[in-house]
Amino acid sequence: MLEQAKNVALTGDHWTSVNNDNYLGVTAHFIDNEWNLQSFALTVSKTEERHYADACADHFLDVVKEWKIKEKLTTLGTDSARNMVAAARQLPFEHLPCMAHSLRRTVTVSLNDSGFHSVVAKCRKIVGHFKHSPSNAQELREQQVALGQMEESLVQDVPTRWNSTIEMVKRIQRNKSPLTTTLAQQNSNIATLTTQELAKLQMLEELLEPCRYVSELLGGEQYVSCSVVLPALCHLFRVMEPSDNDPVYVVRFKTFFTTDLAKRKESTNLTWLKIATTLDPRFKDLKCLPKAERSEVWASISNLVVGERPRQQPSSETTEKQPPKKRRMSVFLLGSSDTDTDEEEESTEQCVDRYKVEPKMDMEGCPLQWWSKREGAHARLARIARKYLSTLQPQCLVRGCSHSQATSSKRREQLCPLIM
């Protein structure tokens, strides 16, 4: 099936196991002739070299050569680690850094530089008290049962596990009564959370919740995710705007968050993301972009359409056998422009305009199904859409993923309306 694909996008990651062994994982993604998104693991191989940029670039090239997809390759998706970014610069492919990985870094920076740092540190101590002692954990479970609550363990947040901070906060809030009672019975020197600190955690949960579902939305491999990046970021910038009712520490968090995320957004492949967003019928109104940028994106789409214009190169034999064909077809050209250039510009404009006037697709719908039904009406644009929409965000490949399986299509339908 990979041999039949016209465009192939790769996502990959290098990592080190607990045994200190180096590994490379690479997955290929493409849209087949029936407009289904296909993904295949090309390699999960042990590597001997350190993960320097040169070695990473060579490893990716070896995989591309082995599978003979160099001419088909469109993008390489990786995390935002420095060695991976440097390796991508050495390769002749479009690089698409993982925006969910960048979002996680933004959250970390914002937590460290805002007024939430002390209360999060206190939560870590409480969780560590129960995670590192089976007897403490058992006493907490007994209190949960005694108070009629669900038995559940606490979650420790770690930098490599995305959304672990919000999960830690949620579970501590749900179990504030069992935690307070257990710590009091143990005469522990671990300080319990005050009323003010619990209120702070509630605000932190509200701030991190949009980040959680955006990272989940960008982490699926069973549906188009590349075109969702810019609308999702637009949503985050909107919900992180400070309001007059925000406490100082919330304003501080939001300010650090938007400033840092804006810098990381500029470092990604915005040109590719804008085109992918435009070719997704859910977002083709481009409301996620400033008005000044929309005309430039549509101009880029028109240029791509010109490149997709079929080239007619009839052989001399065909021309000799069918000399009347040019005369027969001339009757259909009476109303056309005088030059080939004008004809090409007119057809390109009509091609793009037909797509622009199409009704916007519902957020719950699948853009690939939309293109499958309208491929005949938008043949030239469909070829471009197949290329750009096959690119995925590589979150699901890296160890920081907060869920063990890719986000399902049903979950995507629940999340998509939240970003508009």
Side-chain angles (χ1 to χ4, degrees):
M1 186 175 289
L2 187 61
E3 293 80 3
Q4 300 175 357
K6 297 180 180 179
N7 302 291
V8 178
L10 295 185
T11 49
D13 182 40
H14 278 88
W15 71 89
T16 303
S17 70
V18 293
N19 295 325
N20 208 30
D21 294 323
N22 296 333
Y23 289 90
L24 166 68
V26 180
T27 302
H29 312 274
F30 63 93
I31 298 172
D32 62 23
N33 293 333
E34 286 71 40
W35 287 91
N36 296 314
L37 187 60
Q38 303 287 352
S39 297
F40 295 98
L42 300 186
T43 183
V44 178
S45 57
K46 186 177 180 180
T47 59
E48 301 299 331
E49 303 88 348
R50 292 182 180 271
H51 294 162
Y52 295 131
D54 293 344
C56 292
D58 290 339
H59 292 161
F60 283 119
L61 282 176
D62 290 341
V63 173
V64 170
K65 292 177 181 177
E66 179 182 356
W67 288 88
K68 301 177 181 179
I69 56 175
K70 183 177 181 180
E71 303 303 323
K72 301 179 179 181
L73 195 57
T74 56
T75 59
L76 172 63
T78 69
D79 61 23
S80 300
R82 291 183 178 181
N83 61 331
M84 301 301 283
V85 174
R89 292 196 186 106
Q90 302 179 26
L91 298 173
F93 318 121
E94 292 278 353
H95 181 223
L96 201 71
C98 178
M99 203 62 221
H101 185 265
S102 298
L103 176 58
R104 171 59 191 172
R105 288 187 170 185
T106 293
V107 170
T108 302
V109 169
S110 303
L111 285 174
N112 292 336
D113 294 334
S114 67
F116 291 105
H117 180 71
S118 58
V119 68
V120 171
K122 194 171 183 179
C123 289
R124 292 183 183 129
K125 288 184 179 180
I126 293 174
V127 174
H129 175 75
F130 292 96
K131 295 288 285 186
H132 300 152
S133 171
S135 58
N136 290 343
Q138 177 60 32
E139 291 178 12
L140 176 60
R141 287 193 292 269
E142 292 174 357
Q143 283 299 322
Q144 289 171 338
V145 173
L147 294 172
Q149 294 188 200
M150 177 182 65
E151 290 186 53
E152 60 178 351
S153 59
L154 302 180
V155 171
Q156 184 67 275
D157 74 324
V158 290
T160 56
R161 189 161 184 82
W162 301 350
N163 297 326
S164 57
T165 300
I166 187 174
E167 191 59 33
M168 177 182 72
V169 169
K170 283 183 174 182
R171 296 204 184 190
I172 284 182
Q173 289 189 106
R174 285 201 299 264
N175 291 278
K176 57 184 178 181
S177 295
L179 284 171
T180 301
T181 303
T182 304
L183 290 174
Q185 291 177 349
Q186 295 175 343
N187 293 320
S188 172
N189 58 359
I190 300 295
T192 58
L193 294 167
T194 65
T195 303
Q196 292 79 7
E197 288 172 332
L198 287 170
K200 231 178 193 182
L201 288 183
Q202 179 61 40
M203 290 188 175
L204 179 58
E205 178 183 343
E206 294 174 1
L207 288 170
L208 295 182
E209 182 63 20
C211 303
R212 179 194 64 79
Y213 65 69
V214 165
S215 62
E216 286 188 9
L217 184 61
L218 299 181
E221 64 175 1
Q222 300 174 3
Y223 55 84
V224 173
S225 61
C226 180
S227 58
V228 184
V229 174
L230 295 182
L233 293 182
C234 180
H235 170 71
L236 287 178
F237 285 122
R238 185 168 59 247
V239 299
M240 290 295 177
E241 291 179 356
S243 67
D244 295 336
N245 298 326
D246 287 336
V248 174
Y249 56 87
V250 172
V251 173
R252 186 175 176 84
F253 178 92
K254 289 182 176 181
T255 302
F256 275 110
F257 183 94
T258 54
T259 301
D260 187 80
L261 187 61
K263 293 179 181 178
R264 299 183 189 277
K265 176 185 174 183
E266 294 301 320
S267 300
T268 191
N269 195 332
L270 285 176
T271 300
W272 192 279
L273 293 177
K274 289 177 181 179
I275 293 174
T277 303
T278 308
L279 294 174
D280 189 323
R282 297 172 296 178
F283 309 115
K284 68 187 185 72
D285 56 11
L286 299 183
K287 289 184 178 181
C288 61
L289 298 179
K291 292 183 179 180
E293 297 181 12
R294 297 174 190 176
S295 59
E296 181 180 349
V297 177
W298 284 113
S300 299
I301 296 291
S302 297
N303 291 335
L304 291 172
V305 171
V306 172
E308 288 293 330
R309 193 167 189 267
R311 298 180 179 178
Q312 297 181 354
Q313 297 179 345
S315 64
S316 57
E317 181 179 355
T318 303
T319 304
E320 291 176 359
K321 288 184 178 181
Q322 299 178 341
K325 183 176 181 180
K326 185 175 182 181
R327 293 193 296 271
R328 292 199 305 267
M329 295 300 295
S330 63
V331 67
F332 298 107
L333 303 178
L334 295 177
S336 64
S337 56
D338 295 333
T339 65
D340 293 340
T341 303
D342 291 339
E343 179 185 352
E344 180 175 328
E345 290 178 353
E346 182 182 7
S347 61
T348 299
E349 183 180 355
Q350 291 175 348
C351 176
V352 175
D353 286 345
R354 280 199 305 272
Y355 173 67
K356 292 172 72 173
V357 299
E358 287 271 13
K360 181 182 173 182
M361 185 183 185
D362 292 337
M363 290 297 299
E364 294 79 5
C366 173
L368 298 186
Q369 293 179 3
W370 188 95
W371 279 107
S372 175
K373 296 176 181 178
R374 294 166 177 81
E375 183 176 9
H378 306 283
R380 291 160 67 184
L381 269 177
R383 290 191 289 269
I384 303 171
R386 192 188 300 273
K387 174 181 177 180
Y388 280 82
L389 296 182
S390 62
T391 302
L392 295 188
Q393 286 285 290
Q395 175 193 359
C396 52
L397 296 176
V398 296
R399 293 172 294 123
C401 183
S402 61
H403 39 86
S404 57
Q405 297 179 349
T407 308
S408 66
S409 297
K410 182 177 181 180
R411 181 62 174 151
R412 176 208 63 197
E413 293 174 1
Q414 296 171 345
L415 290 170
C416 273
L418 298 176
I419 66 175
M420 295 302 289

